[in-house]
Amino acid sequence: MQNILFRFAERNNLTVALPVQACGHQFCYPRSFSSHFVHLHTLRPNLITNHMRFNKTALQRVMPNDTIYITILREPASMFESLFTYYSRHCMSFRRVPNGSLEAFLAEPLRYYRPQEIESMYARNTLTFDLGGDKDNSIKDLAYAQNFVVDVEKVFSLVMISEYFDESLILLRHLLSWDLEDILYVKLNMRTESSKKRLSPGLPEKIRAWNSIDAYLYDYFNTSFWDKLSDLGLDCVAKEVQLLRQAQERLMRSCFGGKMPLPRPAAEIKNKDLRPWQPSDKVDIVGYDLPVNISREAQEHCLKYIMPEISYTRILLHSQSLQHRRRYQNRPVQKSHTLQQHIRTTLPRHSQVHRSQPGPSVGQSPGSGTESKSTPKQS
């Protein structure tokens, strides 16, 4: 999603709010979002999408009043397996488990889990945490989960579902009046099959019980998601999904010399900017390299589709900083107190977008649970 939104911003000359360098490529996650995390050269933004822990009040200081918020959720059982594998070397709750056994953790989660540890959000109710909720609220407190869902629904115009990503993009396209080209994408941050753990019978139920608020949140918005699709017309959605996939295949073939690409291990990718971050030697995240025999025009067009988020964030920040400097160099000399009026005080696997000239403003929260902290997250 971040890649889609970055490319949209660049095509339409929009400003993207980006993190200060001290935050890395995310907004100092897992700290709650603050305007102080936004780089000064990216203020007065149209869009914000790097991973953060959602904080509506702080975001309102940065984003326009008409900002539209979107987020994406992933099914809690598959997401937890992904988090457990991906952050096995980073999250102490997972590192304590003998032999890195997911079964052992779920048999006695409280034996290994420490709620106050800095990366404990990976080990319980990650979706809830990313959306600004209390990940450690009592499992028995159904009222909390119900009220939290109500709060999320009030803020977010669209809650996408990871398992139905293409259908989610159709809803996004209609919400923002985008073209088909605006939602084209190439799958990024994929794990190899050998890096995935197969969930044995009974584990999904244990995962959902341990992540009960996430499970309630996902089930609620999965239902409302299908209601939105029905309102649009399931036949209409199916036709648009087919058109999207056909356009996606044409894109892939044009970018990869007429063939469908094979994802490569990071070590085999020649362009360092295209190498996905590797969380450990036990998890392989694959990416792409463009063939050398395609035209220069195709190279430039295709490069951003396959660029990992760390590289893309760095390049986008550099580009926007240059634009910022040019704007201020071309301005007439003013008194310092007048200049300050132009600088707005600025204040998250499974983020936000605002679109000014080509459409309404948009913001996306990070509730996907697919990205976290200062490391990218895979699917």
Side-chain angles (χ1 to χ4, degrees):
M1 274 307 306
Q2 184 191 81
N3 185 278
I4 289 172
L5 298 172
F6 275 177
R7 286 186 284 106
F8 180 83
E10 287 196 293
R11 280 196 307 275
N12 293 281
N13 197 29
L14 303 179
T15 299
V16 182
L18 295 170
V20 294
Q21 291 175 332
C23 285
H25 70 287
Q26 300 176 345
F27 286 106
C28 284
Y29 184 84
R31 294 168 64 186
S32 186
F33 178 80
S34 164
S35 60
H36 301 296
F37 300 159
V38 181
H39 199 289
L40 286 174
H41 293 175
T42 67
L43 290 183
R44 298 181 180 275
N46 306 109
L47 179 153
I48 184 167
T49 183
N50 288 62
H51 194 68
M52 69 180 75
R53 186 177 187 208
F54 188 68
N55 179 342
K56 183 184 176 184
T57 302
L59 278 162
Q60 286 175 325
R61 297 177 192 161
V62 173
M63 302 303 294
N65 292 335
D66 62 349
T67 295
I68 295 171
Y69 293 93
I70 63 173
T71 190
I72 181 166
L73 305 180
R74 182 175 177 183
E75 196 281 316
S78 67
M79 187 181 75
F80 194 80
E81 178 277 323
S82 178
L83 290 166
F84 189 88
T85 305
Y86 196 81
Y87 292 113
S88 60
R89 297 288 180 87
H90 304 276
C91 175
M92 287 303 300
S93 296
F94 297 154
R95 288 180 63 179
R96 293 186 183 95
V97 184
N99 302 316
S101 169
L102 179 57
E103 290 81 359
F105 178 87
L106 292 169
E108 299 178 277
L110 291 175
R111 179 177 178 181
Y112 309 106
Y113 176 69
R114 307 287 187 274
Q116 300 307 318
E117 288 178 344
I118 190 169
E119 295 188 343
S120 65
M121 69 283 171
Y122 298 136
R124 192 175 200 187
N125 288 315
T126 308
L127 297 175
T128 300
F129 178 86
D130 282 357
L131 286 166
D134 178 6
K135 64 182 173 60
D136 295 301
N137 198 275
S138 171
I139 291 176
K140 298 178 181 178
D141 190 357
L142 178 60
Y144 176 79
Q146 292 172 333
N147 291 332
F148 184 64
V149 160
V150 170
D151 291 341
V152 171
E153 194 166 39
K154 286 179 181 176
V155 174
F156 292 91
S157 298
L158 175 62
V159 177
M160 302 167 69
I161 299 295
S162 180
E163 286 73 24
Y164 303 101
F165 190 61
D166 289 350
E167 290 83 357
S168 294
L169 289 178
I170 302 306
L171 290 178
L172 180 70
R173 190 187 81 76
H174 282 267
L175 175 67
L176 303 179
S177 300
W178 281 8
D179 296 324
L180 181 65
E181 179 191 5
D182 295 324
I183 58 172
L184 288 179
Y185 69 95
V186 175
K187 289 184 179 179
L188 300 173
N189 285 346
M190 295 182 294
R191 287 181 294 164
T192 58
E193 289 301 317
S194 62
S195 297
K196 299 178 182 180
K197 296 180 183 291
R198 186 180 181 85
L199 295 178
S200 56
L203 280 192
E205 291 77 14
K206 289 183 178 180
I207 290 173
R208 289 175 67 89
W210 172 244
N211 299 276
S212 61
I213 310 175
D214 276 8
Y216 187 90
L217 186 74
Y218 178 86
D219 291 344
Y220 180 90
F221 284 107
N222 186 38
T223 299
S224 67
F225 173 80
W226 285 98
D227 289 341
K228 288 180 183 290
L229 290 178
S230 296
D231 291 342
L232 194 57
L234 295 180
D235 289 341
C236 171
V237 172
K239 288 177 183 176
E240 290 202 34
V241 166
Q242 184 180 16
L243 289 173
L244 170 62
R245 291 174 179 171
Q246 290 170 348
Q248 192 175 29
E249 183 174 344
R250 290 194 297 271
L251 169 72
M252 302 278 269
R253 292 188 184 280
S254 70
C255 289
F256 294 94
K259 301 176 182 178
M260 295 300 286
L262 291 175
R264 292 178 162 189
E268 295 180 11
I269 297 175
K270 296 177 182 178
N271 186 338
K272 292 183 180 180
D273 284 336
L274 298 180
R275 293 177 184 173
W277 186 80
Q278 305 296 304
S280 74
D281 56 5
K282 292 187 176 182
V283 180
D284 295 320
I285 309 300
V286 294
Y288 307 91
D289 223 343
L290 291 175
V292 295
N293 59 345
I294 62 174
S295 68
R296 185 179 185 86
E297 182 182 1
Q299 287 266 357
E300 292 177 356
H301 176 69
C302 300
L303 187 66
K304 296 293 178 63
Y305 280 92
I306 61 173
M307 185 170 286
E309 65 247 51
I310 296 177
S311 298
Y312 207 155
T313 297
R314 184 181 66 249
I315 290 170
L316 198 55
L317 177 59
H318 177 71
S319 171
Q320 292 191 175
S321 291
L322 288 177
Q323 293 175 18
H324 173 86
R325 292 189 187 105
R326 289 192 199 104
R327 283 196 300 269
Y328 278 91
Q329 284 172 354
N330 293 334
R331 287 189 176 189
V333 177
Q334 303 178 46
K335 292 182 180 180
S336 60
H337 73 272
T338 306
L339 266 177
Q340 290 303 315
Q341 295 173 4
H342 295 280
I343 302 177
R344 214 183 260 189
T345 301
T346 34
L347 305 260
R349 90 161 150 5
H350 339 268
S351 307
Q352 296 150 35
V353 161
H354 165 242
R355 174 182 183 183
S356 71
Q357 286 305 8
S361 8
V362 184
Q364 181 193 0
S365 133
S368 65
T370 55
E371 298 175 302
S372 314
K373 197 187 175 255
S374 55
T375 52
K377 185 67 186 71
Q378 84 295 339
S379 58

